Structures are given as C-alpha cells and as structure tokens.
Amino acid sequence: MHARPAALAAITALVLTGPAVIAAPAAVAAPAAPAAATAGDLTTPGGFTGMSPTRVLDTRNAMFVPNGQQRPLNPDEYYTTPLVTFTSHMPPTTHTVVPADTTAVVVNVTATSPTADSYLTLSAAGHPGTVPATSSLNFKAGKTVSNLVTVAVLPGTTPAITVYNHAGTTDVVLDVVGYYRAGATDKYAPLTPSRLVDSRSDGGRLGQDGVRSVQVARPELGTADARAVILNVTATEGTAESFLAVYPTGTERPFVGSNVNFGAGKTVPNQVVVPVGADGKIDVYNHVGSVDVVVDLVGYYGPSGTGLFSALGTPVRAYDTRSSAAVEPGGTRTVPVVQGQVVGAALNVTATEPTTDGHLTVYPAAAARPDTSNLNFTAGLTVANSVTTRTDDGRVSIYNNDGYTHVIADLTGVFVAG
C-alpha cells in the first residue's frame, strides 16, 4: 500500500501455532498457521475522529442493507457492506458515513438471533476465499452479543468492510462510532487503566431509563484535552435483558446503537469509544430493569496524543494458548504481540473453555497490574472483547484472576508515533 516506518517493516504473529492440545470449539476460530504481517498489510497511519453511532448494516431491516434485501448471514458467508446509509432503494440513494480517504473504521458489531454457536470476523472489503484464522465476535445460539472492532478500509475504493459468519445463520448489526484518516488531528494517548465508576460501591445501580454522568476529561488523569475516550464498560447483575448506551453529555441519546448488551444476571463487558461532551463528561444509559455498571478508562484521543493508527487489512493471530496450556488461576502471561517500536496495539482478546467465572486484565508488560478488567467470562463459555493498550517493546501482559482458561489474542492494528 504505502511505505511504513522502519519499525513496522515486519509485524509478526509470534506464537507457536502447531496442532492444538484441545480441539477448538465451534464458536472460536481455529488456531492459525504461522503467519507474518508485513508493512504492506498496514494502512497509512491516521488520526481519529469520533462520531455519534451511525448504522450502516442491519440485516433485519431493508433500509439498512444493500439493495433492500434483508436476510440473515448464511453459514460460511462473506458479506460486504458499503459504509453508507440508505434513504431509498428505488432508486438507490445513499449518504456517505465516513470520508473517502478513511483508512480504518471503529464499529460496534452485534450478532442477534443466531441459530448456532459461531463467530464473526470483520476485515477490509474482499476476502481470501478461505476460512478466517481470527475472530471478532463469538456467540452462542439464540444470544445477542456485541463487540467493538477496528477494521481497515482499503485505499482507492469506496469505503466498505466485509463480515464473515462461520456457522448457522445470524442477523448482524454494524454501527460506526469513529474513523481514522491521515491528517486528522486527534491522536491516541495510552493511559494507566483507572476505574472511574463502580456502582456496586459508588452511586447505586442504574434503573430503567436511568442515566449516570461521568467526568472523563480530568487534568489529574491527563485527559484535560480529550475529545474522545476509550473505556471498558461492564454491566453486571442486571435484573432483566437490557442494554447500555454511552454518549456525550449534553447531546441526545443516539436513536440507534447500543454499547453493551446483557442478559439478566450476566456480567458482560465491552470496549467503548465515545466523544466527550462540552462539559468533559459522558452519559451511561440503561434501558430496562436495574444493573450495576463499572467504567474503566484506558486511553483517549486528543491534540496532546502521540499515536497514529495503522490497521491490518487482515488481522493476525498473535497468541493462542490452545497450542500449549491454559492460563492458571492467578497466572500472568507476557505476550509479544508485535515487533518494532510502537506506541500501542489494538487487539481482540478471547477467553475460551474457562473452568470457572473470572476475568482477564491486559496491560503493558513492564507496568504494574492495574485494578481493572478487560474481559469477564463465565465457566464454559467463549467470550471476546476489544482491547486497546500501550505496549512495552511490543509486549503486553495478560492476567487471569480465577480458574483455568485458554486465551487468544488477535492483532488488528498498531499505533505508531506521529
């Protein structure tokens, strides 16, 4: 595509990926063969622009699909969708959602009404003709699950992305929440993860149609000029099936889009990227029932940031313990996810075959472990979540607080100094 800094001359999936000790469940992409991602796989480094969630695909609704042909995705199907909104299909009339020179988009992807355990993989438009070696979202039959995913956009084309469904049929919803492009002034700034809200000990639960405002632009956190923040938002112990929506304070709650979908009694996290309101705050909304909410701040975008993002056209598998041994209770693995000097990395982290309920924490390899979590999991289930983090010499640490679990990390892109 374009020339890259020397530090990115070779970005390599470094994990040994021989035959798995434990067979891969149907809902998890199989261990990848050894693979290397070169500079040619990376998009031009770009700054970030946040936006209100904009729906570009909803396979349940004829107004949100190309040609007005609503239907779920089929097994082993690659489905390419343009990043536009449709105002009419007769004749086709669209509005562009992101600029033509967009290099990557941040989307909240939701699988709903699936007929089988499966996974989705999001990638740049087009496909290699083989089953993807990585996954973006894992789900169980009949469940609604969401994840935040960053996806490359190929240069010289109308912005579009491809969604792959592995098994069964499922409806898919895509909401764009931001994009990267060369010349955008807001850059990535990694932070030591810090807990901003835990309603179990501070402020009480969110009730039906409840809203809680959170101050995220704070000088003591280094976020005084933040224009968008990267959060990990967790819903826990909800009394009903519901969703959380996160949006800038002082603006209307988005008409479409949710950030965390959860069932009664479940603990569900999701990474959230959201613009900051004029007063430096964001709002967290709960739809029905009551629920406890945990909000962890992990990074931000603003003029004082230092990182420009380069996305991989095809994500690569950087780590997979199914080729060796599960992570033990209280265990920490140091993982080389990328070669070269980078500011940070964007990962999709999956826990699979856990023996008990627990959580994972992902953080820079040389840093002290923070008192936060990136991924909460339930015994026996496969759960994925997006992670954006600073790296130390291309390495991160992954901590497992309880039970045994296999851990998978897929690299979707890197932040370079710019």
Side-chain angles (χ1 to χ4, degrees):
M1 294 178 180
H2 299 273
R4 295 290 178 267
L8 297 181
I11 291 179
T12 309
L14 297 173
V15 163
L16 298 176
T17 52
V21 175
I22 300 176
V28 184
T38 66
D41 297 312
L42 288 162
T43 61
T44 301
F48 181 75
T49 301
M51 54 188 283
S52 179
T54 302
R55 184 148 297 174
V56 296
L57 178 68
D58 185 341
T59 60
R60 304 166 300 177
N61 187 329
M63 283 303 299
F64 290 100
V65 292
N67 303 318
Q69 298 175 356
Q70 66 187 71
R71 62 169 179 83
L73 269 62
N74 293 315
D76 200 34
E77 179 179 5
Y78 287 88
Y79 188 101
T80 298
T81 183
L83 300 176
V84 300
T85 58
F86 291 90
T87 56
S88 172
H89 287 297
M90 297 179 66
T93 305
T94 64
H95 290 289
T96 57
V97 170
V98 298
D101 60 350
T102 292
T103 56
V105 290
V106 182
V107 299
N108 205 63
V109 54
T110 302
T112 188
S113 303
T115 60
D117 296 1
S118 182
Y119 63 86
L120 301 179
T121 300
L122 276 61
S123 61
H127 64 82
T130 58
V131 174
T134 62
S135 58
S136 303
L137 177 67
N138 296 80
F139 49 88
K140 300 285 289 182
K143 301 297 183 182
T144 296
V145 182
S146 298
N147 195 16
L148 192 76
V149 182
T150 302
V151 191
V153 175
L154 297 178
T157 63
T158 300
I161 58 177
T162 293
V163 184
Y164 169 82
N165 175 46
H166 181 57
T169 64
T170 185
D171 282 303
V172 176
V173 180
L174 297 179
D175 296 316
V176 177
V177 299
Y179 57 90
Y180 296 93
R181 59 189 291 265
T185 58
D186 290 347
K187 300 178 182 180
Y188 167 67
L191 296 171
T192 300
S194 59
R195 182 145 293 175
L196 301 182
V197 172
D198 187 341
S199 68
R200 296 170 298 183
S201 58
D202 173 27
R205 295 164 64 85
L206 272 181
Q208 181 167 321
D209 289 325
V211 177
R212 177 159 180 175
S213 295
V214 183
Q215 187 76 43
V216 293
R218 292 162 52 179
E220 72 273 20
L221 296 177
T223 58
D225 69 341
R227 292 179 177 164
V229 288
I230 308 170
L231 309 170
N232 202 66
V233 179
T234 302
T236 187
E237 300 178 5
T239 60
E241 185 171 330
S242 184
F243 66 83
L244 300 178
V246 186
Y247 54 99
T249 299
T251 67
E252 291 188 10
R253 178 167 56 87
F255 178 71
V256 298
S258 58
N259 296 101
V260 185
N261 294 276
F262 57 91
K266 302 297 184 182
T267 297
V268 179
N270 200 14
Q271 184 165 280
V272 175
V273 177
V274 58
V276 177
D279 58 358
K281 298 180 180 180
I282 54 97
D283 284 346
V284 182
Y285 163 86
N286 173 51
H287 182 47
V288 297
S290 67
V291 64
D292 276 311
V293 176
V294 179
V295 179
D296 295 329
L297 176 68
V298 299
Y300 74 94
Y301 297 96
S304 63
T306 60
L308 298 174
F309 185 70
S310 287
L312 283 162
T314 301
V316 296
R317 183 138 293 172
Y319 189 60
D320 190 340
T321 64
R322 294 175 298 168
S323 301
S324 53
V327 183
E328 68 278 7
T332 299
R333 302 286 176 88
T334 298
V335 180
V337 294
V338 61
Q339 290 179 342
Q341 295 300 313
V342 298
V343 176
L347 304 166
N348 198 64
V349 178
T350 303
T352 188
E353 302 176 18
T355 59
T356 188
D357 296 359
H359 70 259
L360 301 179
T361 300
V362 183
Y363 56 101
R369 175 166 55 88
D371 188 22
T372 57
S373 61
N374 297 93
L375 175 65
N376 296 77
F377 52 82
T378 301
L381 297 183
T382 297
V383 181
N385 198 21
S386 178
V387 174
T388 303
T389 179
R390 178 173 62 84
T391 61
D392 287 322
D393 293 326
R395 302 172 302 144
V396 299
S397 290
I398 302 177
Y399 166 79
N400 172 39
N401 84 309
D402 201 5
Y404 288 84
T405 186
H406 281 295
V407 176
I408 301 164
D410 295 330
L411 181 69
T412 60
V414 295
F415 293 91
V416 299

